[in-house]
Amino acid sequence: MPNQAPVTITLDPHLRLGTIDRRIFGSFVEHLGRAVYTGIYEPGHPTADAYGFRRDVAELATELGVTLLRYPGGNFVSSYRWEDGIGPVAERPRRLDLAWRTLESNRVGTDEFLSWCRRLGVEPMMAVNLGTRGIEAAADLVEYCNIPGGTTLSDRRRSNGSPEPYGVRLWCLGNEMDGPWQVGRRDADEYGRLAARVGHAMRRVDPTIELVACGSSGRQMPTFGAWERTVLEHTYEVADYLSLHAYYEEHDGDRASFLGSGAAMDRFIADVIATADSVGARLGSPKRMKLSFDEWNVWYMSETTPVDTSAILPEGSRLFEDRYRLLDAVVVGDLLITLLNHADRVRVACLAQLVNVIAPIATEPGGDAWRLATFYPFAHTARAARGTALRPVVETPTLETARHGEVPATSCAATYDPDEGTAAVFLVNRTDRPVTARLRHPDFPGWTVAGCASIVADHGGKLVTAEAARAAEPVEHRNVRPGAAQTEVDLAPESWTVLRIRVGE
Ligand code: AHR
């Protein structure tokens, strides 16, 4: 197939969108399937540490570059009693989790998770239950986690083995509270009022915390927009963030639309910003609501079966253990491009989830842990995207898609870290034809291409084993023609590319 006309991208080091918050390289661990039990935690596993957490998984999480972990749900949180998960393990109750109809032993709870995060060097993001509970339970949990001592709950944490407070900064006020599947689902007005009250009380316990109000559980919800408006009218003052959730998949072989997922995410974010800013304007508030994209990924949701409400699943059941194709890895890379292009407003983001459940890391009980295809674009982006996100000026043709209408044929994000003397350019060719990207960078001093690597989609299936998934490891190539003011890079059809740049005199 013939090449398309080159795409022109102008990169100006002065055209800055904002500092990249490292929290956008977050992920998510829910009490769901094997995310916790035989995922992060498996006492008796050959690599288990003294606390029963798998070292092989911890090492992969570090290699992935994860900075933040959301916990304990997800839908799970909406019927969770956090008190069940503290104190002597042998005395913890066994419960039926109502979200996933799974037996929960509570062997892992707040202390185990937060101590693991501390050992791993990642920031925790906790969610409170606004499905079956409310103000008191949420305020109590903040007290348990963040007050140094001298109160009943903080002293209980101390006697449970954590003398230092955890200092959890980020808190989600519930999860997907508009979803019909959510235990304790509420309408926007009811949720907004509750979230405002709960948030107010949690801040009374610790004024330094940051709060995330629930946005719609997806762009496809019939109440999308109206939900955000009403919720923010109640919570604008108390909340620091509004949440967004989105999962993408290829529907009925519609590859073009699937490759346009990054553009769909881009519009979703723009719509939420517009809605949030309109509430801010009406309230006369100088505050700009930040966004927390705390669930995003590719998910073969149409292949999953609904939760069986007649059965109780044993702990550690296999749920949503998706395996990914090269095409999915390209799309994940493109979704990260979109997040970088909104770095000024999207300050938190979580790839949902970390291990086994729609995840970049897979494990076998008693066996190996390995990288799946989506691991690679995430790890490479988290490593290369440093400093400031730029506003690249992209002159590209568009592509017609059935689900998203016209989308740019090439997507691009660029980052620049003058202190480290590095820059990076991320590109996706969403079309099925090769294209050359002509990068113009006359104002970057001493532009040198340090490396260029790509993931190229094919028409193959899911990459199940570690060996197969390694096909998604970006391959270094030389299809780059660097110059002082302009660099050309050839983009294969349906591919993701990262260019690592050194800058400076
Ligand atoms: O990530 C899996 C589930 O997807 C989460 O529990 C829920 O918030 C979303 O619907």
Side-chain angles (χ1 to χ4, degrees):
M1 241 181 264
N3 273 29
Q4 306 170 70
V7 167
T8 303
I9 299 168
T10 307
L11 302 169
D12 181 342
H14 306 105
L15 217 54
R16 298 182 187 184
L17 184 63
T19 308
I20 300 161
D21 196 320
R22 300 299 301 169
R23 284 171 163 176
I24 68 168
F25 299 111
S27 186
F28 178 24
V29 175
E30 176 168 1
H31 283 252
L32 157 58
R34 297 195 305 118
V36 174
Y37 303 110
T38 71
I40 59 171
Y41 178 80
E42 191 179 341
H45 186 272
T47 72
D49 64 16
Y51 308 91
F53 283 76
R54 287 181 64 149
R55 277 204 196 86
D56 54 353
V57 172
E59 279 162 19
L60 286 175
T62 302
E63 184 187 320
L64 185 64
V66 155
T67 54
L68 172 93
L69 286 170
R70 182 166 176 253
Y71 177 86
N75 298 340
F76 173 81
V77 79
S78 292
S79 55
Y80 181 54
R81 289 172 247 204
W82 68 266
E83 301 88 339
D84 288 351
I86 61 168
V89 172
E91 292 167 24
R92 295 185 190 177
R94 292 169 72 76
R95 300 269 188 204
L96 169 61
D97 148 45
L98 303 185
W100 309 111
R101 298 256 326 160
T102 302
L103 209 65
E104 174 59 58
S105 68
N106 287 299
R107 286 183 294 151
V108 172
T110 300
D111 289 305
E112 288 77 18
F113 180 75
L114 292 178
S115 308
W116 182 64
C117 285
R118 195 178 267 168
R119 294 196 298 280
L120 205 58
V122 304
E123 181 182 358
M125 178 191 204
M126 296 287 278
V128 297
N129 173 356
L130 295 196
T132 59
R133 308 189 79 185
I135 299 177
E136 193 170 83
D140 282 355
L141 181 56
V142 180
E143 180 183 327
Y144 184 84
C145 291
N146 287 5
I147 295 292
T151 67
T152 301
L153 288 171
S154 58
D155 286 344
R156 191 172 306 160
R157 181 201 67 240
R158 294 169 69 92
S159 62
N160 284 342
S162 300
E164 296 302 321
Y166 295 111
V168 178
R169 293 271 77 79
L170 267 175
W171 295 85
C172 301
L173 296 163
N175 176 70
E176 297 192 345
M177 295 308 301
D178 60 335
W181 55 87
Q182 202 67 227
V183 174
R185 172 202 191 184
R186 295 168 196 267
D187 67 32
D189 202 51
E190 195 187 355
Y191 168 70
R193 284 174 198 279
L194 177 66
R197 290 192 191 120
V198 172
H200 174 259
M202 291 167 76
R203 271 248 168 73
R204 280 289 173 110
V205 181
D206 181 351
T208 69
I209 59 175
E210 298 167 64
L211 296 168
V212 185
C214 286
S216 300
S217 44
R219 177 73 181 79
Q220 74 291 347
M221 297 302 284
T223 50
F224 172 69
W227 170 275
E228 275 74 6
R229 194 185 58 234
T230 305
V231 166
L232 285 179
E233 275 163 1
H234 290 295
T235 59
Y236 207 84
E237 287 316 312
V238 79
D240 302 284
Y241 303 82
L242 182 67
S243 75
L244 296 84
H245 289 182
Y247 293 99
Y248 300 92
E249 69 178 311
E250 183 178 339
H251 294 274
D252 307 319
D254 180 0
R255 213 170 155 93
S257 293
F258 183 49
L259 277 155
S261 299
M265 184 195 236
D266 185 69
R267 281 180 208 150
F268 179 26
I269 294 171
D271 287 347
V272 173
I273 291 173
T275 309
D277 288 354
S278 79
V279 176
R282 203 164 51 239
L283 297 174
S285 172
K287 172 174 167 180
R288 283 287 163 271
M289 189 60 58
K290 294 178 275 191
L291 306 187
S292 170
F293 214 125
D294 43 47
E295 287 187 34
W296 69 269
N297 206 347
V298 170
W299 183 356
Y300 288 84
M301 211 182 281
S302 55
E303 290 180 11
T304 64
T305 40
V307 175
D308 179 357
T309 52
S310 65
I312 297 177
L313 294 177
E315 190 170 86
S317 295
R318 291 179 190 262
L319 290 175
F320 317 139
E321 299 205 0
D322 284 11
R323 297 295 181 258
Y324 295 104
R325 304 167 293 172
L326 284 171
L327 180 62
D328 302 322
V330 169
V331 169
V332 163
D334 204 4
L335 296 171
L336 284 159
I337 286 177
T338 300
L339 293 174
L340 286 170
N341 282 331
H342 288 281
D344 54 336
R345 295 297 287 269
V346 178
R347 309 295 291 170
V348 173
C350 303
L351 175 73
Q353 298 194 5
L354 180 71
V355 52
N356 289 329
V357 177
I358 35 171
I361 300 170
T363 70
E364 271 305 314
D368 288 343
W370 67 99
R371 304 163 193 80
L372 295 176
T374 53
F375 184 98
Y376 296 101
F378 189 101
H380 279 249
T381 305
R383 206 175 309 139
R386 303 249 153 215
T388 306
L390 300 178
R391 291 178 194 272
V393 180
V394 185
E395 294 165 63
T396 169
T398 55
L399 193 67
E400 191 56 37
T401 68
R403 291 179 84 84
H404 319 302
E406 266 186 35
V407 305
T410 303
S411 68
C412 172
T415 63
Y416 177 39
D417 188 340
D419 297 333
E420 280 189 11
T422 60
V425 185
F426 305 90
L427 297 148
V428 165
N429 176 6
R430 294 173 176 154
T431 74
D432 58 5
R433 289 194 294 157
V435 70
T436 297
R438 192 172 282 161
L439 310 179
R440 295 198 173 129
H441 44 79
D443 293 333
F444 275 94
W447 171 285
T448 312
V449 176
C452 179
S454 295
I455 304 169
V456 182
D458 62 7
H459 286 265
K462 296 178 187 174
L463 306 167
V464 174
T465 62
E467 291 66 38
R470 216 167 281 143
E473 185 155 20
V475 176
E476 293 287 331
H477 62 79
R478 295 177 179 278
N479 302 333
V480 193
R481 292 171 292 285
Q486 180 171 300
T487 295
E488 288 190 350
V489 50
D490 298 331
L491 308 180
E494 303 179 342
S495 66
W496 173 92
T497 295
V498 55
L499 272 145
R500 296 180 304 278
I501 310 297
R502 265 196 300 274
V503 290
E505 304 308 329

